[in-house]
Amino acid sequence: MPLQVYDIIKKKREGETLSRREINYLIQRYSTGDLPDYQMAAWAMAVYFRGLNEKETVWLTGAMADSGQRMDLSSLPGIVVDKHSTGGVGDTTTLVLLPLVAAAGIPAAKMSGRGLGHTGGTVDKLEAIPGFKVEMSRSDFLTQVKKIGVAVVAQTPELAPVDKKLYALRDVTATVESLPLIASSIMSKKIAGGASGLVLDVKVGRGAFMKDKKQAEKLARLMVKIGEESGLKTRAVLSAMNQPLGFAVGNSLEVIEAFQTLKGQGPADLEKLCLTLGSCMLQLAGKEGTYKQHYSHLQDVLHSGQALEKMRQLIEEQKGDPRVIDNYNMFPEARYSREVKSRHCGYAADLDALKIGNLARKLGAGRSEKGEQIDPAAGIVLQRKRGDRLQKGELLARLYTSDPELLEESADFCREAFRIKKEKPQAEKLVYKMINSSE
Ligand code: URA
Ligand code: CA
């Protein structure tokens, strides 16, 4: 019997389970433009309320992954392991992690995105490096990975193209916040990306997409399950995103922070997260040894300067000027800066990542709409973080922008992101949990 979209929508509305054929039919028709947005939106809303079981979610992911080309990375030596973050504030891990694992002998072939909303994107950060090119042909990309073990390109729109269309629809129909839809959206792009392993950094907290630990864990387990069922070995790390990672938020500022980390002088939280994610990547790549051994090996690779050297090669290979590593003055400079000082004494009981992320965006580091220009020099360098003792008049942060009119109001906004209390707050974990299988 020929399938009817109406029946598929109704079936899901009634909470029944869809067949693989029905899901494929829906996604294929939507992908070719034969299915109107209103029917897809009705289906997405039915899924929002009724959910999808694991099988349906795996099928949906596969159908979306097959809506475009899949990358073929089979010509690369070794096992290619990808990394994905659900998005954070001041999260510079990719810039450290890629040269780090590459220096440890694991090929790093990465497709990255731009920032949107209050979170940053790796592509924007790399473009802050003078001359750095994030566009290259597929064959140049593979050639570079073979040559130096690492390459980063802007994610092509050909990967799981139907996801883009569906996401835009969900965005305007209040159907983004559905775990199976989020999980299939993320995983379809990763599966189409062609890696054999995937480490997910699922951020939890105020500055993250997932605000709640339980929900984040559910999402992580679901994505690990989809990976397992789809031939992509997947691990997830649940990490804290209540306050920004490291001190720098903004594109060139974060690149500098990544360089500092590669020099062994980075913020402790950023270094720890990079070593954690990197160790998982080494495990998935089949490198012999225990997690602990990988961790200490990567510590050596980082602190011996090998990862920094790999970063130098990466910049050179992608037409950037590697002298920036030793001369931060080569980065574009913000026209205006302002110090933000504390008006109270006590402890920084909290530092709101969402507020800081939004402030950095306002200062010019991010976009409010797709395609907007960003200012690579804009952003915030925090001087204090959660748990730090503060004196009245002490420096909390420095703001950088090219719009002087923003400075006054931004300073107030920045102060508001710090909640100052008499008592020292309890330490917060950086890594909540590691999920190695869907069990
Ligand atoms: N990120 C994605 O790529 N898709 C979603 O649905 C949510 C976050
Ligand atoms: Ca940072």
Side-chain angles (χ1 to χ4, degrees), residues 295-315:
Y295 196 97
S296 82
H297 176 56
L298 288 180
Q299 262 174 327
D300 291 343
V301 172
L302 189 71
H303 288 272
S304 66
Q306 294 169 73
L308 182 68
E309 195 42 45
K310 195 49 84 179
M311 176 57 111
R312 208 182 293 276
Q313 286 176 14
L314 172 69
I315 294 173

Side-chain angles (χ1 to χ4, degrees), residues 84-86 163 167 170 175-178 181-187 189 209 219:
H84 179 81
S85 157
T86 57
D163 168 67
Y167 189 87
R170 288 164 57 209
T175 48
V176 167
E177 297 91 344
S178 149
L181 294 183
I182 296 168
S184 56
S185 166
I186 293 172
M187 293 301 286
K189 286 170 280 191
F209 194 69
L219 175 67

Side-chain angles (χ1 to χ4, degrees), residues 133-387:
K133 294 278 173 288
V134 292
E135 314 277 350
M136 67 173 102
S137 74
R138 221 167 255 213
S139 70
D140 286 351
F141 176 65
L142 295 175
T143 305
Q144 185 180 317
V145 179
K146 281 177 210 159
K147 183 176 169 195
I148 63 164
V150 55
V152 202
V153 289
Q155 191 172 297
T156 72
E158 293 117 65
L159 288 186
V162 77
D163 168 67
K164 211 172 169 182
K165 200 173 161 190
L166 180 56
Y167 189 87
L169 184 71
R170 288 164 57 209
D171 205 23
V172 293
T173 55
T175 48
V176 167
E177 297 91 344
S178 149
L179 288 189
L181 294 183
I182 296 168
S184 56
S185 166
I186 293 172
M187 293 301 286
S188 64
K189 286 170 280 191
K190 294 288 127 185
I191 290 166
S196 307
L198 171 66
V199 176
L200 292 163
D201 182 9
V202 178
K203 305 277 187 197
V204 192
R206 256 189 320 240
F209 194 69
M210 306 301 291
K211 315 282 180 207
D212 175 76
K213 245 186 251 181
K214 277 214 176 88
Q215 285 296 99
E217 185 172 343
K218 258 184 152 169
L219 175 67
R221 286 193 189 282
L222 184 54
M223 291 194 287
V224 170
K225 179 79 185 175
I226 294 171
E228 267 177 13
E229 299 284 324
S230 316
L232 177 59
K233 277 198 280 178
T234 305
R235 295 192 166 201
V237 172
L238 293 188
S239 73
M241 189 32 75
N242 279 319
Q243 64 172 345
L245 197 62
F247 294 97
V249 184
N251 296 285
S252 63
L253 303 170
E254 287 185 49
V255 175
I256 292 169
E257 185 161 80
F259 290 164
Q260 286 298 105
T261 308
L262 289 165
K263 290 173 185 176
Q265 298 157 13
D269 58 349
L270 178 61
E271 177 175 318
K272 182 175 174 187
L273 188 59
C274 291
L275 293 169
T276 303
L277 296 169
S279 305
C280 293
M281 288 173 81
L282 261 49
Q283 278 192 310
L284 284 182
K287 208 170 163 75
E288 248 173 75
T290 62
Y291 174 86
K292 263 198 169 150
Q293 286 167 332
H294 293 328
Y295 196 97
S296 82
H297 176 56
L298 288 180
Q299 262 174 327
D300 291 343
V301 172
L302 189 71
H303 288 272
S304 66
Q306 294 169 73
L308 182 68
E309 195 42 45
K310 195 49 84 179
M311 176 57 111
R312 208 182 293 276
Q313 286 176 14
L314 172 69
I315 294 173
E316 219 163 64
E317 210 54 47
Q318 296 197 217
K319 315 271 189 294
D321 191 334
R323 291 175 304 173
V324 283
I325 290 177
D326 306 303
N327 181 6
Y328 300 155
N329 291 327
M330 288 175 67
F331 283 104
E333 205 179 328
R335 234 165 316 149
Y336 303 94
S337 72
R338 191 191 192 289
E339 294 187 335
V340 182
K341 292 181 176 165
S342 176
R343 290 195 174 142
H344 306 278
C345 72
Y347 285 95
D350 239 326
L351 173 54
D352 188 327
L354 182 59
K355 283 201 172 126
I356 294 291
N358 276 326
L359 178 59
R361 168 168 67 167
K362 228 163 106 187
L363 291 168
R367 301 180 181 82
S368 301
E369 274 173 54
K370 235 180 166 149
E372 248 174 23
Q373 281 285 326
I374 56 164
D375 176 359
I380 302 162
V381 178
L382 300 163
Q383 304 296 316
R384 290 286 183 273
K385 299 258 319 242
R386 186 180 182 278

